[in-house]
Structures are given as C-alpha cells and as structure tokens.
Amino acid sequence: MIDGVLINKLKQIPDERGAIYHMLRRDNSHFIEFGEIYFSIAFPGKIKGWHEHTKQIQNYAVIYGKIKLVLFDNRLQSKTYKKIHEIFLGEENYSLVTIPTGIITGYQCVSKTKSILANCSTLPHDPKEMINYNHNGDKVPYNWED
C-alpha cells in the first residue's frame, strides 16, 4: 500500500427497484473538503492517465463497470516513493480510494461494458495544478499489457 492512500469499503443498499451506492459524507472521518464532483467514463480496454495533482486530493469510487486503478508514489519524501499499487474497483469491490497529492494515477476499464468512475475532489478542477504524463511513457514504470 502507498503511504497516505486510504481505501474505505462503501455501502450498497439494493432492493427490488435498484440500489443506492453511498460515496462520501461530510461527517466521514476521511472527508476533507468539497471542491467538485465529476464522472469519468471509460470504454472497455481504454486507459485514462497518467495524472498527478499538486494541490487537490481525489476521492474515487466506481459506480458502474470495473476498473484497474494504478497508483505510483512520486513524492520524494515518502517512505513508499516510487512504489506502485494496483486496485480493482467496481461492484464487487465498491470502495472509496482517497488519493493524496503527489500520487500519479491512471486507470483502465477492465469490464465488458463501459465504466463510470465518480471523483469527489477537494478543489475545483484547475488544469494548472494537474500534470499529465503519457500512459505509454517512461515516467511510471508500468506495463498496461500485463
């Protein structure tokens, strides 16, 4: 596990009409601040990433489909510097992943249908505070084909 990354199992409440999927409440101990929430859709096999945030903290939950989330610790002072962690998220592992600044993230849709990732970040989107890297580049020593 990468230092500072939190994984919290989330509650699903199914009934005959459908389901409710909890994500984040302001009275959760891991809640920090609300900036914005958005949904990122990925099609089967497609990769989104790499991204690194310098100010905002991400809170990811996958509400539909399944993804492989890959985290790379890019923080020089971290005890897990340059470590990689993979997490599979979706209905079978419905969890909230809180990702601190300095962690490079990418994900791949690994379901047969599209995936929908919800992100409740601590700040509104600002392209100046986000660093983008090529998902096939050499910044993160990771092979998406494995």
Side-chain angles (χ1 to χ4, degrees):
M1 177 59 79
I2 292 178
D3 189 41
V5 173
L6 302 175
I7 301 174
N8 289 286
K9 286 299 233 183
L10 294 173
K11 193 172 185 179
Q12 299 168 316
I13 307 170
D15 66 21
E16 69 281 354
R17 301 166 298 164
I20 293 173
Y21 281 32
H22 284 246
M23 183 176 170
L24 188 60
R25 295 168 48 118
R26 70 179 188 181
D27 59 353
N28 289 141
S29 62
H30 51 274
F31 176 79
I32 300 167
E33 182 178 5
F34 175 77
E36 75 170 319
I37 187 165
Y38 67 82
F39 301 94
S40 176
I41 296 172
F43 298 116
K46 298 300 180 185
I47 298 165
K48 291 197 170 189
W50 301 104
H51 303 102
E52 178 182 1
H53 288 277
T54 60
K55 295 179 184 170
Q56 66 177 292
I57 296 168
Q58 310 302 301
N59 289 286
Y60 286 178
V62 174
I63 62 168
Y64 185 82
K66 183 177 179 182
I67 70 164
K68 175 173 58 170
L69 175 64
V70 181
L71 308 174
F72 176 74
D73 193 344
N74 198 37
R75 302 167 298 171
L76 287 170
Q77 306 304 318
S78 172
K79 62 185 173 187
T80 54
Y81 177 57
K82 291 196 174 189
K83 297 285 185 204
I84 290 177
H85 187 78
E86 290 180 337
I87 308 162
F88 289 87
L89 297 172
E91 222 171 319
E92 305 86 34
N93 183 27
Y94 186 59
S95 301
L96 182 75
V97 180
T98 302
I99 305 164
T101 59
I103 305 296
I104 297 174
T105 64
Y107 79 90
Q108 180 176 33
C109 177
V110 295
S111 54
K112 293 179 182 175
T113 61
K114 69 182 176 185
S115 62
I116 303 174
L117 178 145
N119 178 22
C120 182
S121 61
T122 57
L123 299 171
H125 177 70
D126 176 359
K128 292 181 228 146
E129 76 81 42
M130 184 172 77
I131 304 166
N132 291 301
Y133 304 101
N134 185 315
H135 75 269
N136 286 322
D138 59 1
K139 178 64 177 177
V140 179
Y142 186 79
N143 182 355
W144 289 100
E145 303 302 317
D146 291 343

